[in-house]
Amino acid sequence: MTRHFEATIEKFPIAGVFTISRGSKTEAEVVTCAITRDGLTGRGECVPYKRYGETTEGVLDEINSLASMMHDGMDRHTLQTRLRPGAARNAVDCALWDLEAKSLGRSVASMIEAAEKPLITAFTLSLGEPEAMAEDARRNAARPLLKVKLGTDDDESRMRAVRQAAPDSRLIVDANEGWTEDNLARHLDVADALGISLIEQPLPAGKDAILATIRRKVMICADESVHATGDLASLRNRYDAVNIKLDKTGGLTEALIMKEEAQRLGFAVMIGCMVGTSLAMAPAVLLAQDADYADLDGPLLLAQDRPDGLRYDGSLVYPPRTNLWG
């Protein structure tokens, strides 16, 4: 039977302002894909990212370019050859997973043999002045894992302020490519002294060769430097961990392959997200079941999530119910 295929742009207000080193935003702008066949609908959500040359309208056009092939029954495996890794492919791939599971009367968790247990997710502290970040950390000091956005000329004071305000939390710091070769060693020393667990993407992608030569005690995780499976082998001497995001890999299909290969190569694995709704997080929660870190707090940063969203209990995030996805 012919499938009905639709893609739409949606906006969800953020609770306050979310700031990283590249700028601030007050809403999450997402693109949702819905594929309907035999009365069943599969959905997927993506978050276009300007850093990777994506725009909301461009991603929508990419998805809509598949309309005729989708009506004719294009499957996930063909999709991998039609769109590059990125947000557009992610939305379509996850919608196809959802539809396939519903058509088979199974869950995606059973299809990929994933456990279905609640996970501790990192909770992100937006970039701000040290005092403001300390106050944010103090409000969330009971959370076991905090992710601290950095990337300024004075990240040392921010790290120290957050650590003092949340002495018992494990900390991930994310510079979003904001450090330099000149200040890297100093920041690594401070991170070590403060007991920080992981440093995410300290240097710009393509300008991180020094990581192969600099000694450190804190693990360094690639984010902007790694997108899909083919990127992994070249990063082995520079990074200790990789951040796998569905919006980078182009969906769950590639992400499953990438996670397996990353683990085979000895990387620690973080499953991360953009700022999106529970529909975007749902497949990532299943992917993260055997990961070292889950950073899937997108809905916690929103003023309002989708109906039937994921269940969050403090920093625990639970697997999706099938009325949401999967």
Side-chain angles (χ1 to χ4, degrees), residues 23 50 57 67 170 172 187 200 206 250 316:
K50 184 179 179 180
E57 293 75 16
R170 297 175 68 203
I172 299 168
H187 284 141
E200 195 174 343
L316 282 179

Side-chain angles (χ1 to χ4, degrees), residues 225-266:
S225 288
V226 62
H227 292 256
T229 308
D231 299 328
L232 292 170
S234 65
L235 302 180
R236 291 180 70 185
N237 64 342
R238 282 179 277 168
Y239 291 94
D240 311 296
V242 293
N243 187 344
I244 299 174
K245 295 177 180 175
L246 300 184
D247 279 315
K248 292 191 299 180
T249 67
L252 182 60
T253 301
E254 170 68 12
L256 287 164
I257 298 168
M258 183 177 177
K259 183 183 72 171
E260 182 178 0
E261 178 65 3
Q263 291 171 331
R264 188 189 72 81
L265 291 173

Side-chain angles (χ1 to χ4, degrees), residues 164-284:
Q164 184 174 14
D168 298 324
S169 300
R170 297 175 68 203
L171 298 183
I172 299 168
V173 299
D174 183 4
N176 281 117
E177 305 179 278
W179 292 356
T180 68
E181 291 189 11
D182 292 335
N183 64 29
L184 177 63
R186 174 59 182 164
H187 284 141
L188 291 176
D189 287 344
V190 172
D192 177 39
L194 295 175
I196 286 168
S197 299
L198 191 73
I199 298 168
E200 195 174 343
Q201 197 66 45
L203 300 173
K207 297 181 180 179
D208 52 4
I210 192 176
L211 295 177
T213 62
I214 193 165
R215 299 181 65 181
R216 71 273 190 156
K217 295 180 181 179
V218 182
M219 293 178 65
I220 297 181
C221 178
D223 183 2
E224 286 86 351
S225 288
V226 62
H227 292 256
T229 308
D231 299 328
L232 292 170
S234 65
L235 302 180
R236 291 180 70 185
N237 64 342
R238 282 179 277 168
Y239 291 94
D240 311 296
V242 293
N243 187 344
I244 299 174
K245 295 177 180 175
L246 300 184
D247 279 315
K248 292 191 299 180
T249 67
L252 182 60
T253 301
E254 170 68 12
L256 287 164
I257 298 168
M258 183 177 177
K259 183 183 72 171
E260 182 178 0
E261 178 65 3
Q263 291 171 331
R264 188 189 72 81
L265 291 173
F267 289 107
V269 171
M270 173 192 290
I271 305 301
C273 68
M274 307 299 187
V275 182
T277 78
S278 284
L279 181 58
M281 303 304 120

Side-chain angles (χ1 to χ4, degrees), residues 43-309:
R43 299 186 302 158
E45 176 187 309
C46 69
V47 182
Y49 197 32
K50 184 179 179 180
R51 167 65 180 82
Y52 303 138
E54 296 175 333
T55 65
T56 306
E57 293 75 16
V59 165
L60 184 68
D61 289 344
E62 277 191 85
I63 294 173
N64 284 329
S65 73
L66 301 174
S68 62
M69 290 179 285
M70 198 59 62
H71 290 155
D72 293 339
M74 183 173 71
D75 61 17
R76 288 187 292 107
H77 304 292
T78 304
L79 173 66
Q80 311 307 306
T81 68
R82 298 293 181 177
L83 288 183
R84 62 180 175 81
R89 196 174 79 183
N90 177 33
V92 181
D93 183 74
C94 290
L96 287 169
W97 273 103
D98 191 26
L99 180 61
E100 185 177 346
K102 288 178 168 63
S103 300
L104 294 173
R106 299 178 60 186
S107 67
V108 173
S110 70
M111 293 168 65
I112 66 175
E113 300 182 342
E116 294 185 81
K117 64 181 186 294
L119 303 172
I120 292 174
T121 177
F123 181 80
T124 303
L125 306 182
S126 184
L127 179 63
E129 292 302 314
E131 297 79 9
M133 295 185 73
E135 180 57 33
D136 198 4
R138 202 170 290 114
R139 286 194 300 268
N140 291 283
R143 294 182 183 273
L145 182 63
L146 297 176
K147 180 170 177 175
V148 185
K149 288 293 186 178
L150 298 176
T152 72
D153 292 334
D154 184 18
D155 282 345
E156 180 176 344
S157 65
R158 288 166 171 81
M159 285 190 279
R160 292 189 184 280
V162 168
R163 172 48 84 203
Q164 184 174 14
D168 298 324
S169 300
R170 297 175 68 203
L171 298 183
I172 299 168
V173 299
D174 183 4
N176 281 117
E177 305 179 278
W179 292 356
T180 68
E181 291 189 11
D182 292 335
N183 64 29
L184 177 63
R186 174 59 182 164
H187 284 141
L188 291 176
D189 287 344
V190 172
D192 177 39
L194 295 175
I196 286 168
S197 299
L198 191 73
I199 298 168
E200 195 174 343
Q201 197 66 45
L203 300 173
K207 297 181 180 179
D208 52 4
I210 192 176
L211 295 177
T213 62
I214 193 165
R215 299 181 65 181
R216 71 273 190 156
K217 295 180 181 179
V218 182
M219 293 178 65
I220 297 181
C221 178
D223 183 2
E224 286 86 351
S225 288
V226 62
H227 292 256
T229 308
D231 299 328
L232 292 170
S234 65
L235 302 180
R236 291 180 70 185
N237 64 342
R238 282 179 277 168
Y239 291 94
D240 311 296
V242 293
N243 187 344
I244 299 174
K245 295 177 180 175
L246 300 184
D247 279 315
K248 292 191 299 180
T249 67
L252 182 60
T253 301
E254 170 68 12
L256 287 164
I257 298 168
M258 183 177 177
K259 183 183 72 171
E260 182 178 0
E261 178 65 3
Q263 291 171 331
R264 188 189 72 81
L265 291 173
F267 289 107
V269 171
M270 173 192 290
I271 305 301
C273 68
M274 307 299 187
V275 182
T277 78
S278 284
L279 181 58
M281 303 304 120
V285 171
L286 300 183
L287 182 69
Q289 288 292 310
D290 62 346
D292 300 281
Y293 294 92
D295 177 24
L296 301 173
D297 63 341
L300 296 178
L301 306 177
L302 301 178
Q304 184 175 352
D305 193 10
R306 294 183 185 276
D308 302 315

